[in-house]
Amino acid sequence: MKWRLYAYKDLLLVFIWREFLIRYKQTSIGVLWAILQPVSLMLLFTFIFGVVLQTTPKAYPYTLFYFAGVLPWTFFSGASNFAVTSLSGNFNLVTKIYFPREIIPFSGVAINFIDYLIGFCVYFLMLIVYQVPISWNMLWILPLQGMLVIYTTSISLLLAALNVYYRDVKLVTTFLIQFLFFATPVIYSIDSVDNKWKMFLFLNPLTFIVENMRRVTIEGRGVVLWQLGIELAGVFLLYIVVYKIFIRIERAFADVI
Amino acid sequence: MSSNPIISLSNVWKKYSKQSVLNNSLREELISFLTGKKCYEELSDGEFWALKDICLYAGKGACIGLAGHNGSGKSTILKLISNVTYPTRGDIVIKGRVAPLIELGAGMHPDLSGIENIYMNGTILGLTIRELKKNIGSIVEFSGLDDFINVPVKKYSSGMYLRLAFSIAVHSPADIFLFDEVLAVGDEEFQARCLKRIESIRSNNGTILVVSHDHASLTRICDNIITLDHGIALTGVLV
């Protein structure tokens, strides 16, 4: 699958650069939006669950707890929302010129990842401010982020391709993303969930990512290797199957869009 | 004509559907994906042949015109050559890079400046960033838009927009150029420059396919004209 994109790597770069420029052109605070969005969500959750409802999901600061969940979540939902209309919205390109179609949803994943990285720098500063001990276990963040990117890319490809055929997908996605928000432990901890539901929630790779994000950065513990192995294998398999189907049906996009 | 064609379409058929919702197509693709068989080569309800048994061969340096009424299949041929769509039956072999000037300014964004859009549109046409950097001066000069090149293209007139798009397109180092109704760009002076450019593409062994309603300009630049009628080639199948 790599060789498909090799000849078009410049196009992918330019697409990412274009989306980045468009997003922040004629805005007054520019890239600061990348920080403002997750930070304001974090503050909102801290206020509602910490001040109004006075829940204590974990024994560490609310702000860290929510930010660790909000970051991967905004990346996933941002990329998925971008992807779903990325091909159908660019129908004048798709029907007129050939290039590997996955470039458009890929560029959506990429710009949202840039925002994610900016947000992550803020998160890291917060860890220092809260005097969380820096440990080697924090490096587990790398495979977790890899998993997050692969999973988000698979879902983006799937949504983009399906919306070419059925515009219902766009409407369903809005609803599904809201649903998935509550099925991901962004505003709660998986520890507070009954055991019989836990397995069910772990079918969602985002659950594993968010929970372990907190575990390795705030608690300084390592991941459970066999769990990481299973989750990574599952996400890889999903990616390969989705990408193969995408390549197969891509050639018909121009005719059905 | 060369015995070693750079474009060859052999007995190509292409069907399209008239229905707006194509429930069948996803299923067809998935079935042929799972079984590995090519199926659904026959017409079913609401479908029609956009191209019937087309043969077209073009060697290096050839210039072929495609003429015919609206909906006769001219643009479909260009789309098949540029790989935007695929043939229902028949074989297509393309040996070389294709510059599809089917829609001028594809991918250009109104909020971006002329220079930024040169990179956007150029890479969509298959140029690399390096090739664009090397040619940027020449592209700007050809468009004649030096004073406006850092202005967002939403402030361009439609003529300026097309001139920029055309300049990018003709700087492609491709082997095959596809022009779809794009020869009537700009004022007379700019058109003369475009025709000169087409001549120089040909003398560098580039192959050109032109779609146009303007028979006079086709006969002026093409060495062979194929007239299509409802997907059937009436004249000029050549080797």
Side-chain angles (χ1 to χ4, degrees), chain A residues 244 248 251, chain B residues 27-41:
Chain A
K244 284 223 150 123
R248 174 69 214 190
R251 58 185 208 138
Chain B
R27 199 161 53 220
E28 287 176 19
E29 287 297 330
L30 289 178
I31 287 171
S32 64
F33 173 64
L34 293 173
T35 60
K37 266 185 277 180
K38 259 188 153 189
C39 49
Y40 301 99
E41 289 191 355

Side-chain angles (χ1 to χ4, degrees), chain A residues 10-11 14 17-18 21-22 25-26 93-98 165-166 245 248-249 251 254-256, chain B residues 14 16 22-23 25 29 32-33 79 82-86 103 107 109 116 120 123-124 128-129 154:
Chain A
D10 283 11
L11 179 59
V14 170
W17 166 80
R18 177 182 97 147
L21 277 186
I22 295 170
K25 241 185 191 177
Q26 287 203 4
L93 282 186
V94 174
T95 54
K96 297 282 161 51
I97 288 190
Y98 179 76
Y165 290 87
Y166 306 101
I245 293 176
R248 174 69 214 190
I249 62 178
R251 58 185 208 138
D255 295 348
V256 293
Chain B
K14 176 70 189 172
Y16 273 119
L22 295 141
N23 295 317
S25 47
E29 287 297 330
S32 64
F33 173 64
K79 282 185 182 183
S82 62
N83 199 20
V84 166
T85 185
Y86 60 95
E103 184 172 79
H109 195 280
E116 287 163 346
M120 190 62 238
T123 44
I124 280 188
T128 62
I129 293 174
K154 64 185 170 190

Side-chain angles (χ1 to χ4, degrees), chain A residues 37-57:
Chain A
Q37 212 190 345
V39 166
S40 55
L41 265 182
M42 172 197 77
L43 292 175
L44 178 72
F45 293 150
T46 307
F47 178 71
I48 293 177
F49 297 104
V51 179
V52 179
L53 297 174
Q54 300 197 329
T55 56
T56 34

Side-chain angles (χ1 to χ4, degrees), chain A residues 140-156:
Chain A
W140 285 111
I141 204 74
L142 297 173
L144 289 173
Q145 280 174 348
M147 189 177 149
L148 177 65
V149 170
I150 296 169
Y151 179 64
T152 306
T153 308
S154 322
I155 299 296
S156 297

Side-chain angles (χ1 to χ4, degrees), chain B residues 53-116:
Chain B
D53 208 18
I54 297 292
C55 294
L56 187 156
Y57 304 93
K60 282 186 175 160
C63 182
I64 297 172
L66 296 172
H69 58 87
N70 287 331
S72 59
K74 309 183 295 288
S75 298
T76 305
I77 291 182
L78 297 194
K79 282 185 182 183
L80 286 169
I81 292 172
S82 62
N83 199 20
V84 166
T85 185
Y86 60 95
T88 312
R89 287 190 222 157
D91 291 308
I92 297 179
V93 181
I94 308 292
K95 296 174 191 157
R97 272 169 81 175
V98 180
L101 318 188
I102 295 176
E103 184 172 79
L104 283 176
M108 284 210 198
H109 195 280
D111 281 341
L112 301 181
S113 73
I115 285 280
E116 287 163 346

